[in-house]
Amino acid sequence: MDRGLGVDVPFRACDQLDLAASEGGIALEAERLKPPGLRVEGLGHRFGRRQVVEGLSLTIACGEVHCLVGPSGCGKTTCLRLIAGLEPLQQGRIHIQGRLVAEPGFGLPPERRSVGLMFQDFALFPHLTVAENVAFGLRRRSRREREQRVRELLRRVDLEGYEDRYPYMLSGGEQQRVALARALAPAPDLMLLDEAFSALDTSLRAQIREQTLAILREAGTAILMVTHDAEEAIRSADVIHAMLEGRIVQSGTPAELYARPANLFVAGFFGPVNRFPGRVHNARVDTPIGSVAADGLAEGTPVVVAVRPEGVRIRRASDGCGVRARVIVRRDLGPIHVLRLALAQGSEVKVREAGPVELAPGEEVEVRLDPAHVFVFPA
């Protein structure tokens, strides 16, 4: 009703839509202005003279999953320990939910950072029951609140009725779910996972990982994982950070890193690659399978041509003038077929085929390169 005119004016449906749109816009703006779950700026750390982390920066939104990947000793676990507060910060800044938790000369203790930790070995207390393990971080709450939180979490991880069991009475998957419930109990803003699923059987690993990440995403928790498993990173991560010698050399979605790797390590992260050394000549590089473009590299630059196994196309040899090779080994892995070929000049090449393959060892084939799976890097 319009009180100023003294006339009844019906509230129209379009007014409701306008109001809903306005409220939706406010909600979106509030979400946009929400601080990230984790922001790391210029992280650096030394052990003696050895620089193990250098200039590392990343930002994780609430509910996102980021993975740190790289070879052993590249600094992945050190990063987690610095973020968790298990090591004093020497360089950089760490913010969790917009709150500064560490910089040189200042650091909140781990229990005040609102960080959950999950490790490969589960780290359950063997002398405590499942319920006591889950409630371990809730000592400041009343007994009633602790019991209610424990029941709620055990229901979420499908372990209702397990309250009075001890860790030795549980399977590996059940222990991991108890570890998850314990990490979730204080409702952390950030979850750090250090090879958390690698101790599980292959058949169980994917199931527990998907369940864990689904619960964390639903809770709006920012997640940083360390893993050496390429498939795990690809299946889990919104963003992958590839690390070498303490530095992040490339960050992006799994699809971005697969299609546009920054270096040979990133290219090989998704599986083995065929490597051919060469030199740039007239903006191209010759390989035993053919010539490839080397855009942007100077004349005479020594390079490595990386070719993924799926980038080598094969067909049964004909009377054409294509590059010839001979099948040495064939392995059938369900719908995927892996072959090893001998080239005429003596080198070998790996091939991965997703379609039907009716080639036997000893047969001759013609090979060519698929440019979408070929990368040229300075040697």
Side-chain angles (χ1 to χ4, degrees):
M1 176 182 295
D2 189 328
R3 298 293 183 187
L5 297 177
V7 179
D8 289 338
V9 180
F11 192 73
R12 298 167 300 167
C14 61
D15 293 327
Q16 293 177 321
L17 291 174
D18 289 341
L19 179 60
S22 175
E23 291 174 345
I26 292 171
L28 288 173
E29 182 65 12
E31 186 66 26
R32 187 183 68 81
L33 295 174
K34 187 177 181 181
L38 173 68
R39 186 169 78 250
V40 172
E41 302 169 340
L43 211 62
H45 197 74
R46 286 179 177 272
F47 290 126
R49 294 185 176 182
R50 183 180 169 224
Q51 186 83 38
V52 292
V53 179
E54 185 174 2
L56 187 141
S57 298
L58 56 84
T59 300
I60 307 177
C62 298
E64 277 190 343
V65 179
H66 287 218
C67 280
L68 285 176
V69 301
S72 296
C74 74
K76 304 185 300 294
T77 296
T78 300
C79 288
L80 291 196
R81 292 178 60 83
L82 291 169
I83 293 167
L86 303 177
E87 296 281 350
L89 188 61
Q90 300 170 359
Q91 182 180 341
R93 287 184 175 85
I94 300 170
H95 293 80
I96 296 175
Q97 286 279 22
R99 181 176 58 135
L100 179 67
V101 299
E103 64 180 355
F106 165 75
L108 292 179
E111 64 272 15
R112 293 182 56 197
R113 295 195 182 195
S114 190
V115 173
L117 296 166
M118 288 181 63
F119 302 100
Q120 177 179 348
D121 61 1
F122 313 141
L124 298 178
F125 298 108
H127 63 291
L128 300 182
T129 65
V130 166
E132 290 167 341
N133 266 282
V134 175
F136 185 79
L138 302 175
R139 294 180 176 180
R140 295 184 179 180
R141 299 193 184 187
S142 69
R143 179 176 178 179
R144 181 178 179 182
E145 288 176 327
R146 288 199 304 270
E147 292 176 350
Q148 183 177 348
R149 182 66 172 158
V150 168
R151 284 196 301 270
E152 173 193 343
L153 288 167
L154 291 181
R155 183 171 63 251
R156 292 184 71 183
V157 298
D158 298 326
L159 288 177
E160 285 182 286
Y162 285 66
E163 290 83 352
D164 296 328
R165 301 189 188 186
Y166 287 87
Y168 75 89
M169 304 168 69
L170 308 176
S171 67
E174 290 166 346
Q175 290 184 46
Q176 183 63 296
R177 282 183 278 163
V178 174
L180 170 62
R182 184 181 64 183
L184 283 172
D189 296 320
L190 172 67
M191 184 69 73
L192 304 176
L193 309 176
D194 190 0
E195 303 283 5
F197 311 105
S198 58
L200 300 174
D201 294 339
T202 303
S203 58
L204 187 62
R205 188 180 307 156
Q207 175 190 338
I208 298 297
R209 182 182 67 237
E210 290 173 9
Q211 181 185 33
T212 298
L213 296 181
I215 291 172
L216 292 170
R217 285 182 188 273
E218 181 184 347
T221 308
I223 306 153
L224 181 59
M225 295 176 59
V226 161
T227 180
H228 68 280
D229 187 331
E231 182 179 355
E232 179 169 78
I234 293 165
R235 291 182 178 275
S236 304
D238 300 304
V239 176
I240 293 175
H241 305 279
M243 288 188 67
L244 274 178
E245 298 177 350
R247 289 178 171 270
I248 292 178
V249 296
Q250 187 173 6
S251 297
T253 66
E256 288 168 345
L257 267 63
Y258 180 84
R260 295 182 294 279
N263 56 29
L264 194 57
F265 160 67
V266 178
F269 171 71
F270 296 91
V273 294
N274 299 291
R275 306 181 185 196
F276 303 107
R279 285 185 180 272
V280 177
H281 179 63
N282 292 332
R284 300 192 69 82
V285 181
D286 290 331
T287 78
I289 309 178
S291 176
V292 301
D295 299 332
L297 294 174
E299 183 76 9
T301 300
V303 298
V304 174
V305 179
V307 183
R308 291 204 178 96
E310 55 267 38
V312 181
R313 303 300 188 192
I314 61 174
R315 66 180 182 182
R316 198 178 298 277
S318 63
D319 294 332
C321 56
V323 177
R324 296 293 186 98
R326 179 172 51 84
V327 178
I328 302 175
V329 176
R330 168 184 162 179
R331 294 283 183 266
D332 298 327
L333 308 175
I336 301 298
H337 309 278
V338 178
L339 300 94
R340 188 153 53 90
L341 309 179
L343 300 171
Q345 92 289 7
S347 60
E348 296 183 358
V349 62
K350 296 185 179 77
V351 180
R352 180 183 170 99
E353 284 281 334
V357 173
E358 297 178 357
L359 297 167
E363 289 195 63
E364 279 204 342
V365 295
E366 290 181 5
V367 297
R368 62 179 179 85
L369 296 176
D370 179 352
H373 299 286
V374 178
F375 311 99
V376 181
F377 304 109

